[in-house]
Amino acid sequence: INLSPFGVKVALPASAIRPSEGTSLQLRLGAPDNGPPISLKGMIWRREPKSTTLIFVELNREELEQLRALVESLQAQPV
């Protein structure tokens, strides 16, 4: 997984449904500090054999700040 405040790249199992590029969808991401999940609108940007890249669309300021906090908390975790 590769997460930024603007999108996410995810690995999908071979059996997963693979929507076509341009497909809109609703995403729910776990929030830092066990807060309520972050619900976002996304769009399939690119499909590759083993992964899919989604961009977040129509973000408001609060959603962008929540995403930034989530990214920062994940970056602070030891690898």
Side-chain angles (χ1 to χ4, degrees), residues 19-39:
S20 52
E21 292 176 356
T23 301
S24 296
L25 45 92
Q26 188 73 27
L27 300 159
R28 287 175 46 113
L29 301 174
D33 301 326
N34 295 322
I38 304 168
S39 293

Side-chain angles (χ1 to χ4, degrees), residues 38-40 58-67:
I38 304 168
S39 293
L40 306 164
E58 300 177 19
L59 293 178
N60 61 39
R61 182 180 299 263
E62 180 182 352
E63 292 166 333
L64 183 58
E65 291 303 319
Q66 288 175 319
L67 276 169

